[in-house]
Amino acid sequence: MHITIIGAGYVGLVTGACFSEFGVFVTCVDKDKNKVESLNQSVIPFYEPGLEELVKRNVRQGRLKFTTDIGEAVEESLVIFIAVGTPPRGDGSADLIYVDEVAKEIANHIKSYKVIVTKSTVPVGTGERIRKIISQHLREEIDFDIVSNPEFLREGAAIEDFMRPNRIVIGAKSQQAAAIMRDLYKPLYLIETPFVITNIETAELIKYASNSFLAAKISFINEMANLCEKVGADVNVVAKGMGLDGRIGSKFLHAGPGFGGSCFPKDTRALLKIASDNNIELGIVNAAVKANERQIMTVSEKIKSALNDVKGKTIAILGLSFKPNTDDIREAPAVSIIQNLLNAGANIKTYDPVAMDNAKAVLPQITYCSDAYEACEDADAVVILTEWNQFRNLELAKLMKILKQPYFFDLRNIYDPQKMKETGFKYYSVGRSL
Ligand code: UDX
Ligand code: UDX
């Protein structure tokens, strides 16, 4: 089978590379000419473990190619995935300008039956919107179907999540389109991956509901962490005790500085907008968003009050990406926390294994270092914001020597409070009183 993926970003590129690994012939279309050229050289424009090798192998074997020419790609494909960005607008709604543009371009080029699939996270009702746009712009009466096939890829684990998904969700009106999608996903079908086949609106909502629930879980444990600090409890043990209940599950109960990334913040806000457009109150999702905004402020205040006053003080920030194994700093808590500390007069030195180039565009005024120890040299405090593995075993004795003051803010709870105290640090974490 031959498919087209429109939008070679995180979602589109991983989806295209993984399908080509299944033996599908994939053409990835992107309007960004430079991106297309570097991808045809198998140069990946962002960090995603394993992706470069996957792209290289499938480009070499002729199953994966990149182009800016949407016409040729659409003509030779039976299935066309829309994986362009759906950035949030000021009011929280997802901006569908790129989706609309791509729908018109598809309409201008289809000459035979096609299945058009929304892979990007799109508001409920977007399938119908795309159907109308294509019908209006078709040059002749051509049969086509719309399918919603939302992605559940986690950055840093996207290939794993594609190859071994918990489920495949397919929203389709026509049996024929659903059958074609089953055929496309046959390799996963054979390993008994559960399929949820439903209507388009339901499939569109499953994605928002899943991400919003995960975000609510994180906000729940972050609020529990704040209470733990007051009552002398340990949030990690609370999370363990909760998670052993099969109905709760242990995942996504790690307290921290709040959730970031290009999905949870965007998808929760978009879902709230969809709800308010339909006069429905989603109090729990709203509370999760507000709790997340509070959490970022809470941890910033924790640093400022512990140091008494950060004005003129040097703070070493370890980790800028919104989570490990990605260079993505979109809505990363680190960006807000650093801006907060800069506003209070602090000097910031930082190190992140892969996200510093992206951060320089947003935070040009801070000092970027070549490793964690250079960042900590002469600093009044060290703050761990992203739990990269290389920050889990810092040489503590060396840190004690090079820090000007022994303040250690472990905002991802990766160190043992007792041990840190014994080493002589003024140690702070999230939800664990010493
Ligand atoms: C984003 C969101 O992060 C994700 O939650 C949503 O499901 C899909 O949109 P992502 O892959 O991260 O996914 O988007 P982005 O990294 O912005 O890549 C979008 C790509 O589409 C870019 O390469 C852009 O050049 C390309 N594009 C955009 C087109 O080719 N044509 C367009 O009209 C618009
Ligand atoms: C998420 C969803 O997991 C994925 O299914 C969806 O397709 C896209 O959005 P992603 O945004 O890449 O994936 O990151 P994820 O691993 O979910 O983490 C999101 C944020 O929550 C990160 O900032 C992370 O640090 C934070 N987080 C996650 C916590 O603070 N605590 C946790 O226990 C888990």
Side-chain angles (χ1 to χ4, degrees):
M1 191 188 290
H2 205 126
I3 67 171
T4 288
I5 311 266
I6 301 175
Y10 274 101
V11 171
L13 183 54
V14 170
T15 301
C18 290
F19 270 127
S20 67
E21 181 72 2
F22 288 156
V24 176
F25 287 89
V26 179
T27 304
C28 276
V29 178
D30 201 294
K31 69 180 178 185
D32 181 335
K33 202 166 172 321
N34 298 332
K35 185 178 278 195
V36 166
E37 269 155 28
S38 48
L39 286 168
N40 274 320
Q41 311 300 322
S42 297
V43 172
I44 312 296
F46 52 79
Y47 180 83
E48 180 63 43
L51 186 57
E52 184 173 348
E53 173 48 38
L54 195 65
V55 168
K56 240 184 211 138
R57 178 165 64 243
N58 286 286
V59 165
R60 196 174 55 241
Q61 291 171 4
R63 280 193 302 273
L64 176 61
K65 64 183 184 200
F66 302 90
T67 175
T68 54
D69 174 4
I70 194 165
E72 173 202 338
V74 164
E75 245 169 76
E76 63 190 10
S77 302
L78 172 59
V79 182
I80 298 153
F81 283 87
I82 299 178
V84 295
T86 53
R89 277 200 292 232
D91 64 0
S93 62
D95 188 345
L96 297 176
I97 180 173
Y98 300 129
V99 171
D100 293 353
E101 205 173 289
V102 164
K104 283 180 202 129
E105 288 179 73
I106 291 171
N108 291 337
H109 292 97
I110 55 177
K111 297 187 173 50
S112 60
Y113 174 75
K114 303 289 173 194
V115 176
I116 291 118
V117 186
T118 52
K119 182 53 104 173
S120 301
T121 306
V122 292
V124 180
T126 302
E128 183 50 28
R129 178 193 179 106
I130 291 171
R131 195 192 58 69
K132 283 203 185 94
I133 290 174
I134 292 178
S135 301
Q136 280 157 9
H137 289 79
L138 273 180
R139 301 216 171 117
E140 49 190 297
E141 207 37 49
I142 303 263
D143 188 19
F144 66 94
D145 279 316
I146 302 289
V147 164
S148 163
N149 172 220
E151 48 89 14
F152 298 98
L153 307 177
R154 283 168 303 156
E155 289 178 27
I159 294 172
E160 169 74 13
D161 285 350
F162 190 99
M163 295 296 190
R164 269 169 288 289
N166 296 131
R167 75 296 204 192
I168 302 281
V169 173
I170 291 171
K173 224 183 227 164
S174 91
Q175 291 307 321
Q176 180 184 2
I180 288 170
M181 293 304 287
R182 273 186 182 280
D183 189 32
L184 177 58
Y185 276 104
K186 194 163 54 255
L188 292 178
Y189 199 46
L190 295 177
I191 54 173
E192 263 113 59
T193 297
F195 277 64
V196 175
I197 312 276
T198 179
N199 70 10
I200 294 176
E201 290 71 18
T202 304
E204 289 167 338
L205 186 54
I206 288 172
K207 171 67 192 238
Y208 281 113
S210 303
N211 268 8
S212 299
F213 186 81
L214 290 169
K217 229 183 153 180
I218 295 166
S219 283
F220 181 89
I221 202 65
N222 282 338
E223 291 196 320
M224 280 304 120
N226 298 334
L227 178 60
C228 283
E229 288 180 14
K230 297 291 181 202
V231 300
D234 180 330
V235 72
N236 282 355
V237 182
V238 169
K240 182 166 184 229
M242 287 173 67
L244 287 167
D245 180 327
R247 295 165 302 175
I248 297 174
S250 57
K251 299 253 186 234
F252 280 65
L253 284 177
H254 306 292
F259 58 78
S262 75
C263 296
F264 286 0
K266 172 176 71 71
D267 294 353
T268 46
R269 280 198 293 262
L271 183 57
L272 287 171
K273 184 70 174 61
I274 295 165
S276 76
D277 289 350
N278 289 281
N279 299 318
I280 291 288
E281 170 74 29
L282 294 182
I284 294 171
V285 176
N286 192 40
V289 171
K290 293 276 176 285
N292 196 55
E293 287 158 5
R294 280 197 302 276
Q295 188 66 6
I296 290 170
M297 296 319 293
T298 300
V299 297
S300 304
E301 286 314 311
K302 179 181 288 208
I303 297 167
K304 290 195 277 191
S305 57
L307 288 173
N308 210 336
D309 176 6
V310 295
K311 195 167 170 42
K313 297 221 173 98
T314 300
I315 299 174
I317 301 283
L318 301 187
L320 296 168
S321 56
F322 79 95
K323 59 184 264 195
N325 300 320
T326 181
D327 61 355
D328 198 345
I329 60 160
R330 290 183 279 189
E331 306 228 17
V335 174
S336 317
I337 292 166
I338 288 173
Q339 273 156 351
N340 194 293
L341 294 172
L342 287 171
N343 294 343
N347 302 311
I348 303 288
K349 294 168 74 182
T350 187
Y351 171 69
D352 182 290
V354 297
M356 291 196 286
D357 288 348
N358 287 338
K360 283 170 186 164
V362 176
L363 294 162
Q365 71 277 54
I366 65 177
T367 307
Y368 292 88
C369 301
S370 54
D371 64 35
Y373 300 101
E374 187 192 332
C376 293
E377 189 85 40
D378 271 345
D380 294 287
V382 52
V383 182
I384 294 187
L385 280 179
T386 312
E387 65 282 24
W388 283 96
N389 285 337
Q390 58 188 281
F391 298 152
R392 291 176 184 276
N393 244 327
L394 295 167
E395 289 173 61
L396 300 176
K398 182 174 175 183
L399 277 190
M400 283 299 281
K401 281 205 193 77
I402 60 178
L403 280 165
K404 197 189 289 176
Q405 296 192 70
Y407 283 94
F408 197 112
F409 298 89
D410 174 8
L411 300 185
R412 294 288 186 173
N413 289 344
I414 53 181
Y415 284 90
D416 169 59
Q418 202 46 44
K419 188 160 173 291
M420 295 301 277
K421 202 169 175 224
E422 281 158 14
T423 314
F425 286 104
K426 293 185 170 58
Y427 176 80
Y428 298 79
S429 64
V430 183
R432 302 184 302 169
S433 36
L434 282 180

